[in-house]
Amino acid sequence: MPIRRLPPETVNRIAAGEVVERPASAIKELVDNAIDAGASRIEVEAHGGGLTRILVADDGCGLSADELPVAIERHATSKLAPDEDGLWDLLRIHTMGFRGEALPSIGSVARLQISSRAKGQQDAHSILVEGGQVGDVAPAAFPGPHGARIEVRDLFYATPARLKFMKSERAEALAITEEIKRQAMANESVGFSLDIDGRKILRLPAEHPGPQGRLARLAAVLGRDFQDNAIEIDQLRDGVRLSGFAGLPTYNRGNAAHQYLFVNGRPVRDRLLQGALRAAYADFLARDRHPTAALYVTLDPTEVDVNVHPAKAEVRFRDPALVRGLIVGALRHALAGAGHRASTTVANQALDSIRAQQSPFPGYQPGPSPAGFSAWREGGWTPPTQRPMDLPGLNEVSARVEPSFGGELAEVVREAYTSVAFEDRPSPDYPPAAAPFDPVDFPLGAARAQVHETYIVAQTRDGMVIVDQHAAHERLVYERMKGEMAAGGVARQTLLLPEVVDLDPAEAERVVARAAELASLGLVIESFGPGAVLVRETPALLGKTDAAALVRDIADDLAENGAALALKERLEEVCSTMACHGSVRAGRRLNGVEMNALLREMEATPHSGQCNHGRPTYVELKLADIEKLFGRR
């Protein structure tokens, strides 16, 4: 077949298909341009899922009449400039856009009108592009002192086949909303507004730059619960800075949709984030639960390539292992610093459940409050046949109330706590032994009762705490086992007959390259020719295990996440099972000293706010919330 040159119109439409996949991607390109123009406020409107009409207005520097026709030419941009040697550097990118393809691509498949007034100029001008046909620059009305208004109508009208691949208007509108949310989270100092089909969807005022403003913007986008249950992250390693916020383990979701990564202010999607989060939260969450996080990576532009995807939705790090290690280490450090803290949503869910189930006792008829006893004397109210105090089970023992603390008992509780040593663990600032104190001032309060021989009820200064004794002690034993395993290493057992595992040559090379790391976890391997690995020793904790399946799982993890998570998770699962069987069981009676010793150890042990499966170990109810349940507030 002869080689033919494609006409410009076809070239434009091919390029438009790469850059403008759907209305949300068109809006992303226009918002990127507005941010690069220095906008402090960006307004977005969409109709018909963005296919009928899109409007993006900003208060940036604007375009002059001479710049308008150049702006819609392909590969024309103000964001790249040659250096002193006349070279164009594509590695040191400081702007959101740089290709010069967005406006001409949109104009080749839709009706595009750009109206703008440049900063410092009196007149505003506009230009119209319809299906790639460029009109003349003409004077136009413009509401603001400077900025740009870009209107896109009938998206993909010039390529009708593309319309068949669009989803429903609702799905496209949701994609637009998600894109604006990502842009808003990446730029907290820029105000955003979004209207879809005339309905106000988002109103996000500009926030002050910095962690507090960023957290306020994240709360506005992800919900107020995220702000109440987020831990701040700020770490620097080898010139790479990681900042942002991550949710507590007990504040988790059923999918990974609420995990966001921003690189040098650019929202990106990267599998590296999902793998790093999975590794950091590995022993805090069940496999079907996912953490919530918004992480911001800042590094030298030469260390990341943003020119690997037409829509700039993906990036490539020069040293991905450094970035991944930074994310995992920073998250683990932040989670350890959170101590025994559990999410506030646990208490809210408990209170909502109580309110939903509140109802009078069966057979109990409340008397009229205005008349009271006199109404009964006059025959206007029939008392219940069964008094509330005679209800079945009410007189049975359901709790063991502990006496008030003081004197010798308080000292016993203190000694029970101080007798346990916790190395490298943050501990609460307790009063010195000589100073008098009230145990209700402890973070988890003073134990007052054990209910159903399973739950410890403790009183705090401003509320109460209910602790699941088995789940709490399971986490304490598990953390102790992890510390012992880290200090003494993982015991190994030698296979009587070493097992040969056949892999793809690339997979085998990846696994052998991590031989030292795997050996520290108890798995000793070595290369056995191209495409094969020899297993000599396995972790003793796993007992009799399928070595071949384990190595293949590790190879899959290394290919997907860059880390041998399968082995770590299996070891942690065994430790978790051992901790479960070695913990205080539900149904065991505890005395006051034992209950308080458990509470004090929880306060001194990181991650004790959730069990090994991500469930909360305690629920804290504030006195104000309890009073609301009884109508006192």
Side-chain angles (χ1 to χ4, degrees):
M1 295 178 63
I3 299 176
R4 302 179 180 88
R5 290 186 176 89
L6 296 177
E9 295 80 7
T10 304
V11 173
N12 291 343
R13 291 176 181 176
I14 292 174
E18 296 177 343
V19 178
V20 186
E21 300 174 357
R22 59 193 307 186
S25 59
I27 290 177
K28 173 189 180 300
E29 297 292 340
L30 299 179
V31 170
D32 282 347
N33 286 343
I35 293 172
D36 287 337
S40 62
R41 187 185 71 256
I42 300 176
E43 301 173 1
V44 180
E45 297 179 12
H47 295 267
L51 296 171
T52 303
R53 178 177 178 267
I54 294 172
L55 174 65
V56 177
D58 66 76
D59 60 350
C61 61
L63 297 169
S64 65
D66 296 334
E67 292 175 322
L68 283 175
V70 183
I72 57 175
E73 292 182 9
R74 188 165 302 281
H75 306 307
T77 180
S78 62
K79 300 162 188 178
L80 288 179
D83 58 18
E84 297 177 354
D85 299 327
L87 300 178
W88 298 77
D89 189 1
L90 287 177
L91 297 179
R92 197 175 296 275
I93 304 297
H94 296 277
T95 55
M96 297 297 102
F98 57 90
R99 295 174 179 272
E101 290 184 317
L103 293 177
S105 295
I106 297 172
S108 64
V109 296
R111 295 181 172 90
L112 171 69
Q113 183 175 21
I114 306 174
S115 302
S116 179
R117 174 182 286 133
K119 183 177 292 187
Q121 295 188 2
Q122 297 294 327
D123 299 328
H125 298 81
S126 68
I127 191 170
L128 179 65
V129 185
E130 293 188 342
Q133 301 299 316
V134 182
D136 296 329
V137 177
F142 193 82
H146 53 82
R149 289 174 61 88
I150 302 179
E151 187 175 15
V152 181
R153 292 184 178 272
D154 303 327
L155 187 63
F156 298 127
Y157 91 95
T159 54
R162 291 294 301 276
L163 289 173
K164 298 179 182 179
F165 294 91
M166 293 297 105
K167 298 182 180 180
S168 65
E169 291 187 4
R170 183 176 181 274
E172 297 298 340
L174 290 174
I176 292 172
T177 303
E178 181 65 23
E179 181 58 44
I180 296 301
K181 287 181 177 180
R182 286 179 177 271
Q183 295 285 356
M185 286 189 285
N187 302 275
E188 70 274 5
S189 60
V190 179
F192 285 85
S193 68
L194 172 64
D195 292 356
I196 295 181
D197 294 328
R199 293 180 291 109
K200 297 179 180 179
I201 305 299
L202 291 176
R203 290 294 185 271
L204 301 173
E207 305 287 350
H208 291 291
Q212 295 306 315
R214 178 173 289 173
L215 182 58
R217 173 59 58 86
L218 292 176
V221 174
L222 300 178
R224 188 63 57 186
D225 284 340
F226 179 79
Q227 183 178 20
D228 297 335
N229 299 287
I231 49 180
E232 185 177 358
I233 297 168
D234 192 358
Q235 295 287 332
L236 179 66
R237 181 187 300 175
D238 296 340
V240 181
R241 183 185 179 190
L242 177 71
S243 59
F245 296 87
L248 292 167
T250 45
Y251 180 75
N252 52 64
R253 297 299 183 93
N255 56 46
H258 292 79
Q259 297 174 0
Y260 301 92
L261 179 65
F262 307 90
V263 178
N264 287 346
R266 185 189 307 276
V268 299
R269 294 178 175 87
D270 198 307
R271 290 190 306 175
L272 177 144
L273 173 66
Q274 192 169 354
L277 284 172
R278 178 185 164 196
Y281 285 81
D283 60 344
F284 306 128
L285 295 178
R287 291 186 67 94
D288 60 343
R289 305 301 298 179
H290 302 267
T292 300
L295 304 179
Y296 300 78
V297 176
T298 306
L299 71 170
D300 190 290
T302 59
E303 297 297 319
V304 58
D305 187 1
V306 299
N307 194 24
V308 297
H309 191 278
K312 303 180 290 294
E314 299 176 5
V315 297
R316 181 176 295 133
F317 295 101
R318 186 183 298 273
D319 190 354
L322 170 64
V323 178
R324 184 188 180 281
L326 176 61
I327 293 175
V328 174
L331 284 172
R332 286 180 175 173
H333 179 76
L335 290 172
H340 67 277
R341 179 181 166 196
S343 65
T344 59
T345 54
V346 174
N348 294 335
Q349 292 168 1
L351 291 169
D352 291 342
S353 177
I354 294 172
R355 293 188 184 100
Q357 297 180 16
Q358 277 184 333
S359 62
F361 292 109
Y364 177 71
Q365 180 184 358
S369 56
F373 181 73
S374 60
W376 171 72
R377 290 287 302 270
E378 296 173 3
W381 174 58
T382 303
T385 56
Q386 185 181 45
R387 294 181 299 168
M389 62 181 302
D390 294 332
L391 291 175
L394 194 62
N395 293 326
E396 297 177 7
V397 177
S398 60
R400 299 172 57 249
V401 179
E402 297 297 328
S404 301
F405 284 85
E408 296 181 359
L409 184 56
E411 292 302 321
V412 171
V413 174
R414 185 190 298 280
E415 292 176 3
Y417 167 72
T418 55
S419 63
V420 185
F422 303 100
E423 297 180 359
D424 300 327
R425 298 180 182 178
S427 59
D429 185 15
Y430 295 132
F437 75 100
D438 190 337
V440 298
D441 290 324
F442 284 123
L444 294 181
R448 296 304 193 201
Q450 183 189 29
V451 182
H452 297 296
E453 299 178 340
T454 302
Y455 303 101
I456 298 171
V457 179
Q459 177 185 347
T460 62
R461 179 62 63 184
D462 59 348
M464 62 181 291
V465 172
I466 305 173
V467 179
D468 183 336
Q469 65 186 40
H470 173 66
H473 198 240
E474 180 182 350
R475 166 56 74 175
L476 299 179
V477 174
Y478 179 50
E479 291 295 328
R480 195 177 301 134
M481 291 181 63
K482 285 201 307 181
E484 294 173 355
M485 190 170 64
V490 180
R492 303 193 293 251
Q493 61 182 6
T494 303
L495 299 181
L496 185 61
L497 295 176
E499 186 166 351
V500 178
V501 183
D502 293 322
L503 299 171
D504 181 86
E507 293 179 338
E509 185 177 352
R510 278 195 294 265
V511 173
V512 172
R514 298 297 184 98
E517 176 186 344
L518 296 175
S520 67
L521 295 173
L523 182 66
V524 178
I525 63 169
E526 61 185 52
S527 178
F528 197 71
V533 172
L534 184 68
V535 181
R536 292 194 176 275
E537 300 178 39
T538 60
L541 275 175
L542 298 182
K544 187 177 180 180
T545 185
D546 187 346
L550 176 59
V551 171
R552 292 190 182 99
D553 287 345
I554 292 172
D556 292 340
D557 274 338
L558 290 174
E560 181 177 356
N561 304 309
L565 297 178
L567 180 54
K568 293 180 181 179
E569 289 177 349
R570 291 195 187 190
L571 288 172
E572 289 165 352
E573 183 178 355
V574 172
C575 289
S576 176
T577 302
M578 295 172 63
C580 180
H581 289 285
S583 302
V584 173
R585 309 296 295 180
R588 174 181 167 184
R589 288 198 173 190
L590 303 177
N591 59 37
V593 173
E594 291 174 327
M595 288 189 288
N596 280 284
L598 180 65
L599 296 179
R600 303 295 79 81
E601 188 173 354
M602 288 177 63
E603 293 164 351
T605 304
H607 321 307
S608 61
Q610 65 279 326
C611 73
N612 307 339
H613 311 290
R615 294 188 295 269
T617 59
Y618 71 90
V619 177
E620 182 177 10
L621 303 178
K622 297 298 183 182
L623 183 59
D625 294 325
I626 299 174
E627 289 176 341
K628 289 179 182 178
L629 292 176
F630 293 94
R632 288 179 173 269
R633 288 200 175 198

